[in-house]
Amino acid sequence: MRCGVENKNTVFLLNDGQINNESFLEDVNNILSSGEVPNLFAKEELVAIYDGIRKDALSEGQGETPDSLWAFFIERVRANLHIILTMSPI
C-alpha cells in the first residue's frame, strides 16, 4: 500500500530461491503484466486504500467512485513499484 497510498517508490526484491509455491510466481506474473493481483486486498483494506488516496485523486481530477479510486491506486502502484527478480545461474 505504501507505493499506492503514500506515493513512494518501493523496490520488491525477489530471488528464485524464495519461490516455493507456483501460485506465488503467478502473483508476480500478474503484477508484471497488469500491475495488480486479483483479490489481494480484503474489503476492509480497500476502504482504507480509498480513504488514503481520495484527497489526492480528487485533486488530480479523478472521480470518487470505488472504480475510479482503484484505478488511481493501481496507476500509482505501476509508477512506484519496481520489481527486481534475481535468478541463480546454477
Side-chain angles (χ1 to χ4, degrees), residues 17-64:
Q18 294 174 307
I19 302 172
N20 348 347
N21 189 337
E22 193 172 311
S23 67
F24 186 69
L25 198 54
E26 269 183 55
D27 291 342
V28 171
N29 183 53
N30 283 330
I31 291 170
L32 293 172
S33 63
S34 69
E36 62 182 300
V37 177
N39 304 315
L40 181 63
F41 298 106
K43 258 186 187 170
E44 299 80 29
E45 291 174 307
L46 289 176
V47 171
I49 290 170
Y50 297 156
D51 290 343
I53 62 170
R54 182 171 279 114
K55 182 179 174 185
D56 291 343
L58 292 175
S59 73
E60 293 193 21
Q62 300 294 319
E64 201 171 353

Side-chain angles (χ1 to χ4, degrees), residues 7 19 32 77 83:
N7 201 25
I19 302 172
L32 293 172
V77 170
I83 299 175

Side-chain angles (χ1 to χ4, degrees), residues 1-8 10 49 52-53 56 72-74 76-77 80:
M1 288 192 348
R2 177 181 169 167
C3 55
V5 175
E6 297 175 23
N7 201 25
K8 294 188 177 187
T10 305
I49 290 170
I53 62 170
D56 291 343
F72 183 77
F73 174 76
I74 293 299
R76 274 190 168 180
V77 170
N80 293 320

